[in-house]
Amino acid sequence: GQQVTLYLDLKTTGFSFSDSYFNLPEVTGAFLMQIDTTTMKATENVDGETWQIVRYPIALYPQTAGQLEIPPIAVRFRTSAGFGSTSIPFEFQTRPLQLFARSPAGVKDGELLVTTTSFELDYQWQPETTTAHTGDAYTLTVTRRARDISAMLLPPLPVFRAQGLAAYPQTPELNDKTSRGDLTGERIDRIIWVAEKSGSYAIPGIRF
């Protein structure tokens, strides 16, 4: 569950880059995603030669313990020696990368783990009354925010169902916000319950 940041560097002795493209592979037991569309630019000097560098941050989220392997990433771009010069195409592949993920103590196999330094939870019932008529609807809204994680990795809410009480989980809102390279994922879930028959119902609390 812990975010590991990988950096994909494109380098050239030319003047500029254009038409940069790479396609992230599927990683068994992990999610690999580009969390920020911005890039970091730099230069370095090697043996008296100046290289232009464009760096792409990529986030890896292990979901299972054990050995993980990131397949090669295919990259292509064009570069030119200067203004008005003909651009030259290049294609490369990264080497595969191996990583070992360890599961924290107390986590059971199959449990989805959220690893973060900051977690916020807000919830609201609408209406707030505990007495209703047949056909009335109750809506539970739960908002979760976590640092260094994409909203898509926050698990869905469990849905309680009972005879005479219909449950309608809504499509969640998933929002990823990036500020200076720092990612915050926000997930908003809503579940609507409708009393189809008269009676007393106890909707259990959700433990996080």
Side-chain angles (χ1 to χ4, degrees):
Q2 180 181 357
Q3 176 185 313
V4 179
T5 303
L6 311 177
Y7 294 104
L8 179 63
D9 289 357
L10 309 185
K11 300 182 180 184
T12 180
T13 55
F15 178 74
S16 63
F17 288 95
S18 62
D19 299 334
S20 301
Y21 176 81
F22 58 91
N23 190 24
L24 296 180
E26 295 288 333
V27 180
T28 302
F31 290 103
L32 186 66
M33 63 186 68
Q34 186 179 358
I35 59 175
D36 196 346
T37 56
T38 61
T39 57
M40 292 175 279
K41 299 180 180 180
T43 60
E44 69 177 9
N45 190 283
V46 179
D47 297 330
E49 199 167 31
T50 300
W51 290 75
Q52 308 293 330
I53 306 170
V54 176
R55 169 169 285 185
Y56 294 88
I58 300 170
L60 175 74
Y61 296 98
Q63 298 298 295
T64 58
Q67 193 78 17
L68 302 174
E69 179 166 314
I70 303 171
I73 301 174
V75 180
R76 67 173 183 261
F77 60 88
R78 303 180 71 92
T79 183
S80 62
F83 288 114
S85 301
T86 302
S87 62
I88 302 173
F90 290 90
E91 292 188 16
F92 296 100
Q93 271 198 340
T94 66
R95 294 178 182 148
L97 176 65
Q98 291 187 337
L99 182 75
F100 186 83
R102 193 167 16 210
S103 181
V107 177
K108 300 177 182 178
D109 291 340
E111 286 185 338
L112 182 59
L113 183 67
V114 175
T115 304
T116 178
T117 58
S118 174
F119 185 88
E120 297 178 12
L121 173 68
D122 298 313
Y123 71 94
Q124 181 183 34
W125 282 99
Q126 189 65 35
E128 296 182 356
T129 178
T130 57
T131 303
H133 297 90
T134 302
D136 287 353
Y138 280 86
T139 301
L140 171 65
T141 301
V142 176
T143 301
R144 286 169 287 173
R145 301 180 195 89
R147 287 189 58 185
D148 301 328
I149 191 170
S150 174
M152 65 175 289
L153 299 180
L154 295 171
L157 298 182
V159 181
F160 171 76
R161 289 181 169 87
Q163 188 70 28
L165 185 67
Y168 302 96
Q170 307 297 294
T171 302
E173 296 179 30
L174 304 177
N175 304 306
D176 284 344
K177 301 176 183 178
T178 304
S179 177
R180 297 181 179 179
D182 293 330
L183 174 67
T184 299
E186 180 185 73
R187 177 175 178 133
I188 303 175
D189 287 277
R190 292 181 179 87
I191 303 175
I192 299 174
W193 283 274
V194 178
E196 297 178 329
K197 297 180 180 179
S198 60
S200 178
Y201 303 97
I203 300 174
I206 302 172
R207 186 177 180 85
F208 295 88

